[in-house]
C-alpha cells in the first residue's frame, strides 16, 4: 500500500514540477565545467600552452613597438616632417635647347652642364608662403652639406647643416636634445658649431674646443663647439653638426644658397599629402619624413612582421596543445558520450560541451597570459641593456598598449574554438550503439 | 493503445568494413503490453541486443516499423529520438555506465536536468529513486567508490527516476556476482510488478528469464520462441502456429 501511495505522490509531484529555461545550455555548462575540473592536470597543460602563446605575444609586441615608437618619436623631433629639396620638378630647358630646330640652333648634339649650383630660388618667399598653409606649423631654410672637421689630429666627415637657429628650433626642437652647452650660444657667437654626441665622442671634443672645418670648393673655418646634442639615434648623433647658415654657406662655398626648406606639420601623419601639395605649389621636390626615414621604418615593419610570425607559430603550438588534450579526452570519454547520448543529450549538446571546454581553456589561458604578459613587460622595462644601434637606450624599450591584452584574449579564443572544433565534432559523431556493442570504448 | 512496444517486420542489416551487408534481424514482429516484464534471450549474435537498441531508439532499422507508446521511431530525426529517450525511456547497461565525474545523485538527476526539470525537483526525484533501491545513504559518493552491484543499482535508479514509460536493460546482471545479480533482478521484478512499468531485459541467465512475465528467445535474428511465465519454451516448428493462435 505504501508503495502505491508513494507512486501516486510521485506522479503528483511530476505534474507540479517546475521547468527551467535553457535547460540544455545549463546542463551543457554543468557537464563541461565538471569534466574540466576533474581533469585539472591535462587541461592545465592545455592552458599552459595558451598562456605561453599570449605571454610571448604581449612581450614581443611590447618590445617591438617599444623600439619603433621610441625611434619614431625621436626621429619626428630631430628630423622635419617634410623637406623641400633644391631639385626642380620641371626644370626650365636651357636657352639652347629651347631654340632647337629654329634658326638659332638646328640641332643640339651635347649640352655641357653649366656649373650653376642647385638652389632654391627666393627661399624666404617660399618659407613665408609655406607658413600660410593651413597644415604647416613652421618652416625653416637651411643649407646641408658634407664637410670634414679636424681636431687634435683626428679628422671626421660630418653632415653639417647651416641653419637660422630660431626658425630651425620651431621645425626641429633641437634644444630638447642639448646635452651640454646651449643652443642660444650658436645665435650669439659668430663662429659656433653644435655637434652630435657621437661626433664629440669620436674626436674627444668638449665645449669650447675649436675645430678646423673644411669642404671642397669652400673656405675653411675655425669653429668653436658651443653645444653637444644627443637625439639618442646613433645614426644621427654620429654625423650631425649645426652652424649658422652664413658660416656654412662660406664653408661650403655656396654663398646665399639655401638647399632645403624644412617643414613641421601640425599632424605628422599628413606627411605624404602635405608633401604632394607643396610640390604642386612650388615646383620643388618635397619629401615626407616617412620617405626620408623609409629605410628605418622598413626595418621596423619587417621586425613587426617577424614578430607576428613567431607569435602565430607559438599560438599554433598552443592550439595544438588544446587539440591534443581535447582529442585525448574525447577518445577517453567515448563511453561517457554514449551514456549522455543514451539518456537523451543531442549531438549538438555533445558538440557544445567540447567547444565550451575549449573556450574555457582559452579564456583562462588568455587571462593568465595577459597577467603574466603584463608582469613580463614590467620586468623587461627594468632590464638593463646597453644598446647603441638604431636607437640608444640603457634599458629595454617597452611600449605597453591596452590593445595587446585585448588581442591576447581574442587570439586565445579563436585558437581555442578552432582547436576544439575537431575533437568536438568527433565527439558529437559518436554513435552510442557502436559503443554499447563494444566496438569502441 | 494496449501495447507500449509494437515491432513489425523489423530488419536490421549491418554493412561494416566494405563486406557484404550482414543481416542481424530478419523481420521481427513483437508486441509488448503495458506493465510487462519481458526477458529477451538467445545466444551471442542472435540479435537480442540489436533488437533492444532498436526498441530503445538508439539505432535505426533497415526496414520495418517500431512503435513506442504510439510514436513511430522511423519518422523521428536524431534530435527527436534523443528527446524521446530522455523523456520516455530508461536504460540500464551491462557495464553500469555511470559518469565518473559526477556523484551518485548527479548521475541519477542529470537526464532530468537536461529535460528542463528544475534542479531541486530533479534532485528530489533522484533521491527518491535512490531510496527505492536502498542507496539514499550513498548519494554523495562518486561511482568509483561503489561496488559493482551498487553501481548497477544506481544506473537502475537513473533509469526509473525519470518515470519512463519503458525501461530497457542490456544484461544488467551479466557483470555481477550471483548475490548482486539476484538483488538487481529483484529490483527489476519489483519495478515491473509494483510500479507497473514495462521492462524489456536482455539476459543470458535462463533462471532469470524463466522468472520474467514473458520470455522471448531469438536465434539468428529470428524469434525462436515466445512464452509466458510457467509455459514451456515452444519449439520453432510450432512457433508460427502459436503466434497466429494467440492473435
Amino acid at each position: 500500500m505504501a508503495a502505491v501511495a508513494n507512486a501516486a505522490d510521485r506522479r503528483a509531484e511530476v505534474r507540479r514540477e517546475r521547468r527551467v529555461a535553457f535547460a540544455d545550455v545549463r546542463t551543457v555548462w554543468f557537464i563541461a565545467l565538471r569534466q574540466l575540473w576533474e581533469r585539472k592536470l591535462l587541461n592545465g597543460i592545455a592552458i599552459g600552452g595558451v598562456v605561453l602563446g599570449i605571454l610571448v605575444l604581449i612581450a614581443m609586441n611590447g618590445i617591438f613597438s617599444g623600439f619603433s615608437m621610441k625611434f619614431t618619436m625621436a626621429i619626428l623631433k630631430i628630423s622635419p616632417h617634410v623637406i623641400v629639396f633644391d631639385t626642380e620638378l620641371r626644370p626650365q630647358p636651357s636657352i639652347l635647347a629651347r631654340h632647337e630646330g629654329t634658326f638659332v640652333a638646328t640641332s643640339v648634339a651635347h649640352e655641357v652642364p653649366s656649373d650653376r649650383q642647385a638652389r632654391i630660388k627666393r627661399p624666404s618667399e617660399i618659407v613665408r608662403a609655406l607658413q600660410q598653409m593651413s597644415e604647416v606649423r613652421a618652416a625653416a631654410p637651411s643649407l646641408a652639406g658634407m664637410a670634414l672637421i679636424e681636431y687634435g689630429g683626428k679628422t671626421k666627415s660630418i653632415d653639417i647643416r647651416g641653419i637660422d637657429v630660431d626658425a630651425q628650433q620651431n621645425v626641429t626642437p633641437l634644444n630638447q636634445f642639448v646635452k651640454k652647452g646651449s643652443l642660444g650660444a650658436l645665435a650669439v657667437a659668430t663662429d659656433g658649431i653644435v655637434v652630435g654626441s657621437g661626433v664629440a665622442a669620436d674626436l674627444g671634443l668638449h665645449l669650447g674646443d675649436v675645430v678646423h672645418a673644411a669642404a671642397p670648393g669652400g673656405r675653411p673655418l675655425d669653429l668653436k663647439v658651443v653645444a653637444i646634442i644627443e637625439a639618442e639615434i646613433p645614426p644621427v648623433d654620429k654625423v650631425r653638426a649645426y652652424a649658422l647658415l652664413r658660416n656654412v654657406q662660406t664653408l661650403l662655398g655656396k654663398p646665399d644658397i639655401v638647399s632645403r626648406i624644412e617643414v613641421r606639420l601640425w599632424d605628422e601623419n599628413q606627411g605624404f599629402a602635405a608633401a604632394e601639395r607643396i610640390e604642386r605649389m612650388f615646383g620643388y621636390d618635397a619629401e615626407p619624413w616617412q620617405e626620408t626615414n623609409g629605410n628605418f621604418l622598413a626595418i621596423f615593419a619587417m621586425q613587426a612582421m617577424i614578430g607576428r610570425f613567431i607569435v602565430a607559430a607559438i599560438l599554433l603550438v598552443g592550439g595544438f596543445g588544446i587539440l591534443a588534450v581535447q582529442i585525448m579526452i574525447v577518445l577517453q570519454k567515448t563511453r561517457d558520450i554514449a551514456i549522455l547520448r543514451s539518456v537523451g543529450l543531442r549531438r549538438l549538446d555533445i558538440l557544445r560541451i567540447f567547444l565550451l571546454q575549449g573556450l574555457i581553456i582559452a579564456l583562462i589561458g588568455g587571462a593568465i597570459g595577459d597577467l603574466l604578459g603584463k608582469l613580463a613587460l614590467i620586468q623587461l622595462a627594468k632590464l638593463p641593456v646597453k644598446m647603441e644601434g638604431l636607437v640608444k637606450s640603457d634599458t629595454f624599450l617597452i611600449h605597453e598598449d591596452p590593445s595587446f591584452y585585448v588581442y591576447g584574449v581574442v587570439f586565445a579564443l579563436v585558437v581555442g574554438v578552432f582547436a576544439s572544433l575537431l575533437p568536438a565534432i568527433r565527439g558529437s559523431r559518436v554513435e552510442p550503439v557502436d559503443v554499447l556493442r563494444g566496438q569502441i570504448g | 493503445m494496449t501495447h507500449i512496444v509494437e515491432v513489425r517486420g523489423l530488419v536490421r542489416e549491418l554493412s561494416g568494413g566494405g563486406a557484404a551487408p550482414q543481416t542481424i534481424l530478419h523481420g521481427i514482429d513483437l508486441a509488448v503490453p503495458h506493465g510487462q516484464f519481458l526477458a529477451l534471450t538467445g545466444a551471442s549474435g542472435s540479435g537480442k541486443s540489436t533488437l533492444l537498441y532498436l526498441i530503445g531508439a538508439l539505432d535505426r532499422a533497415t526496414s520495418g516499423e517500431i512503435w513506442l507508446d504510439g510514436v513511430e521511431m522511423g519518422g523521428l530525426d536524431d534530435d527527436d529520438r534523443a528527446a524521446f529517450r530522455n523523456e520516455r525511456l530508461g536504460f540500464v547497461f551491462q557495464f553500469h555506465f555511470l559518469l565518473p565525474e559526477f556523484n551518485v545523485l548527479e548521475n541519477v538527476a542529470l537526464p532530468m536536468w537536461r529535460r528542463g526539470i528544475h534542479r531541486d525537483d530533479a534532485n528530489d526525484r533522484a533521491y527518491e529513486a535512490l531510496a527505492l533501491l536502498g542507496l539514499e545513504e550513498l548519494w554523495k559518493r562518486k561511482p568509483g567508490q561503489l561496488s559493482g552491484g551498487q553501481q548497477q543499482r544506481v544506473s537502475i535508479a537513473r533509469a526509473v527516476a525519470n518515470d519512463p514509460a519503458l525501461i530497457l536493460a542490456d544484461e544488467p546482471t551479466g557483470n555481477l556476482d550471483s548475490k548482486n545479480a539476484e538483488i538487481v533482478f529483484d529490483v527489476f521484478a519489483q519495478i515491473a510488478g509494483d510500479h507497473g512499468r514495462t521492462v524489456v531485459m536482455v539476459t543470458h541467465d535462463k533462471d532469470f528469464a524463466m522468472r520474467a512475465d514473458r520470455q522471448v528467445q531469438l536465434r539468428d535474428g529470428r524469434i525462436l520462441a515466445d512464452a509466458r511465465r510457467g509455459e514451456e519454451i515452444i519449439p520453432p516448428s510450432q512457433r508460427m502456429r502459436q503466434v497466429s493462435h494467440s492473435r
Side-chain angles (χ1 to χ4, degrees):
Chain A
M1 263 330 271
V4 173
N6 244 343
D9 283 351
R10 279 182 48 109
R11 241 157 252 139
E13 202 177 298
V14 170
R15 259 178 260 118
R16 266 189 276 116
E17 82 197 10
R18 290 167 287 165
R19 290 250 164 188
V20 174
F22 301 115
D24 53 342
V25 178
R26 283 164 189 253
T27 310
V28 160
W29 266 96
F30 186 80
I31 295 170
L33 289 176
R34 179 66 66 90
Q35 286 188 346
L36 274 181
W37 182 248
E38 294 287 329
R39 279 179 158 63
K40 287 187 275 286
L41 180 68
L42 219 51
N43 290 311
I45 292 168
I47 288 170
V50 178
V51 168
L52 214 62
I54 303 308
L55 175 67
V56 172
L57 180 145
I58 289 171
M60 282 260 200
N61 263 322
I63 293 169
F64 285 173
S65 67
F67 276 101
S68 73
M69 297 262 306
K70 159 93 180 182
F71 176 81
T72 309
M73 272 166 67
I75 207 81
L76 278 173
K77 280 184 195 157
I78 196 70
S79 85
H81 297 164
V82 176
I83 303 171
V84 181
F85 288 108
D86 54 6
T87 319
E88 282 185 77
L89 291 175
R90 292 171 301 277
Q92 291 282 311
S94 65
I95 293 172
L96 205 58
R98 248 183 285 160
H99 291 89
E100 187 176 0
T102 65
F103 65 93
V104 178
T106 46
S107 77
V108 180
H110 174 60
E111 211 176 335
V112 178
S114 71
D115 55 357
R116 272 190 53 215
Q117 285 168 317
R119 65 193 298 168
I120 293 177
K121 291 168 200 153
R122 293 193 290 277
S124 42
E125 272 173 45
I126 294 180
V127 167
R128 237 175 289 132
L130 279 168
Q131 280 163 343
Q132 298 298 313
M133 287 173 70
S134 59
E135 58 265 60
V136 173
R137 193 166 166 182
S142 62
L143 172 63
M146 300 305 292
L148 289 171
I149 57 171
E150 192 195 336
Y151 178 76
K154 278 190 270 184
T155 309
K156 188 167 171 57
S157 168
I158 54 161
D159 167 14
I160 193 160
R161 304 286 168 88
I163 56 170
D164 172 333
V165 179
D166 289 336
Q168 188 66 33
Q169 173 67 26
N170 289 334
V171 175
T172 57
L174 289 175
N175 59 358
Q176 287 185 18
F177 302 113
V178 172
K179 256 183 85 186
K180 282 181 195 148
S182 88
L183 214 58
L186 189 63
V188 175
T190 53
D191 57 351
I193 184 168
V194 175
V195 294
S197 59
V199 176
D202 282 354
L203 295 180
L205 288 173
H206 296 276
L207 288 182
D209 290 344
V210 175
V211 297
H212 187 67
R219 193 158 62 83
L221 288 177
D222 286 329
L223 298 168
K224 194 167 93 181
V225 177
V226 293
I228 295 170
I229 58 164
E230 182 164 34
E232 295 191 333
I233 303 174
V236 170
D237 294 332
K238 277 180 183 301
V239 296
R240 187 66 58 86
Y242 294 93
L244 288 180
L245 180 57
R246 178 167 33 87
N247 287 341
V248 175
Q249 284 169 339
T250 307
L251 178 69
L252 300 178
K254 294 181 173 180
D256 300 325
I257 285 180
V258 165
S259 71
R260 50 157 74 191
I261 297 170
E262 299 191 350
V263 178
R264 183 175 186 80
L265 303 173
W266 292 104
D267 178 5
E268 70 265 18
N269 296 318
Q270 298 300 311
F272 279 100
E276 209 171 288
R277 216 178 136 210
I278 290 168
E279 282 185 351
R280 263 188 283 116
M281 284 177 70
F282 304 106
Y284 284 102
D285 181 24
E287 192 181 77
W289 66 276
Q290 292 99 323
E291 215 174 301
T292 313
N293 302 291
N295 292 342
F296 298 134
L297 294 176
I299 291 171
F300 289 118
M302 175 70 84
Q303 195 186 36
M305 178 95 92
I306 293 168
R308 258 175 249 136
F309 273 121
I310 294 172
V311 167
I314 290 175
L315 281 175
L316 205 65
V317 172
F320 272 105
I322 295 182
L323 182 69
V325 166
Q326 288 263 78
I327 282 275
M328 209 153 99
I329 289 176
V330 167
L331 291 179
Q332 278 180 3
K333 290 251 150 229
T334 308
R335 207 189 61 140
D336 295 28
I337 293 168
I339 302 172
L340 290 170
R341 294 274 289 125
S342 71
V343 302
L345 268 77
R346 291 171 296 159
R347 285 183 195 285
L348 184 64
D349 295 329
I350 306 296
L351 192 81
R352 281 175 177 165
I353 287 172
F354 288 102
L355 278 184
L356 195 58
Q357 288 179 348
L359 271 179
I360 292 168
I361 288 173
L363 204 64
I364 294 173
I368 297 174
D370 272 3
L371 200 74
L372 292 185
K374 169 107 190 156
L375 294 176
L377 288 191
I378 291 170
Q379 287 307 313
L380 279 172
K382 288 182 192 161
L383 203 66
V385 184
K386 234 358 193 196
M387 65 180 129
E388 200 164 333
L390 217 47
V391 180
K392 189 182 170 194
S393 175
D394 295 334
T395 57
F396 250 71
L397 293 166
I398 298 295
H399 171 69
E400 194 191 358
D401 194 315
S403 71
F404 297 166
Y405 302 106
V406 177
Y407 281 136
V409 171
V410 168
F411 281 131
L413 288 182
V414 169
V415 164
V417 168
F418 272 99
S420 56
L421 205 57
L422 193 74
I425 290 172
R426 202 198 152 102
S428 75
R429 287 208 178 135
V430 166
E431 280 292 346
V433 175
D434 294 340
V435 180
L436 298 171
R437 279 205 191 101
Q439 290 177 355
I440 304 173
Chain B
M1 193 74 204
T2 52
H3 291 140
I4 182 150
V5 181
E6 263 201 84
V7 173
R8 294 179 199 148
L10 189 65
V11 174
R12 179 71 173 107
E13 290 174 356
L14 276 188
S15 49
Q22 188 190 354
T23 308
I24 310 293
L25 296 175
H26 302 263
I28 299 282
D29 295 294
L30 182 70
V32 183
H34 275 286
Q36 192 169 60
F37 182 9
L38 175 86
L40 274 177
T41 60
S44 300
S46 62
K48 57 189 190 305
S49 290
T50 300
L51 178 58
L52 189 83
Y53 300 147
L54 281 163
I55 294 172
L58 285 165
D59 199 3
R60 276 187 179 278
T62 307
S63 68
E65 291 175 7
I66 305 163
W67 292 81
L68 294 181
D69 220 3
V71 181
E72 211 280 297
M73 287 299 116
L76 299 184
D77 67 14
D78 208 63
D79 286 353
D80 288 341
R81 287 189 297 145
F84 189 89
R85 289 197 296 270
N86 182 260
E87 291 178 20
R88 310 276 196 92
L89 303 180
F91 290 92
V92 180
F93 301 109
Q94 181 175 3
F95 300 102
H96 36 78
F97 277 178
L98 298 174
L99 299 168
E101 296 92 354
F102 298 86
N103 70 30
V104 164
L105 187 81
E106 289 163 343
N107 260 288
V108 175
L110 198 138
M112 292 186 277
W113 298 343
R114 174 63 186 83
R115 200 174 141 186
I117 297 171
H118 192 279
R119 187 150 299 193
D120 295 341
D121 297 338
N123 289 355
D124 285 351
R125 279 164 62 176
Y127 191 82
E128 263 181 69
L130 286 170
L132 189 71
L133 290 142
L135 295 164
E136 67 271 32
E137 302 285 319
L138 305 175
W139 71 269
K140 252 185 170 168
R141 299 233 188 130
K142 291 277 174 73
Q145 297 167 305
L146 302 181
S147 73
Q150 287 169 331
Q151 288 187 39
Q152 193 58 293
R153 274 148 70 204
V154 172
S155 63
I156 296 170
R158 181 177 65 197
V160 300
N162 217 1
D163 205 24
L166 177 63
I167 294 161
L168 299 157
D170 189 8
E171 300 196 35
T173 59
N175 222 25
L176 299 176
D177 59 58
S178 59
K179 183 166 158 273
N180 271 307
E182 191 69 41
I183 293 170
V184 165
F185 182 84
D186 287 345
V187 167
F188 275 109
Q190 192 193 354
I191 288 164
D194 297 354
H195 298 273
R197 289 196 185 84
T198 313
V199 176
V200 176
M201 177 198 281
V202 164
T203 182
H204 263 119
D205 194 307
K206 286 198 169 59
D207 181 41
F208 288 151
M210 295 287 283
R211 286 155 61 187
D213 292 342
R214 180 181 173 195
Q215 188 186 165
V216 171
Q217 195 179 352
L218 268 71
R219 188 164 76 187
D220 300 330
R222 292 188 173 85
I223 291 179
L224 179 71
D226 189 341
R228 299 200 164 273
R229 179 162 42 199
E231 284 180 356
E232 286 290 313
I233 284 282
I234 300 152
S237 53
Q238 294 169 34
R239 183 172 63 84
M240 288 313 293
R241 200 165 48 109
Q242 180 68 28
V243 169
S244 58
H245 181 69
S246 71
R247 281 190 181 161

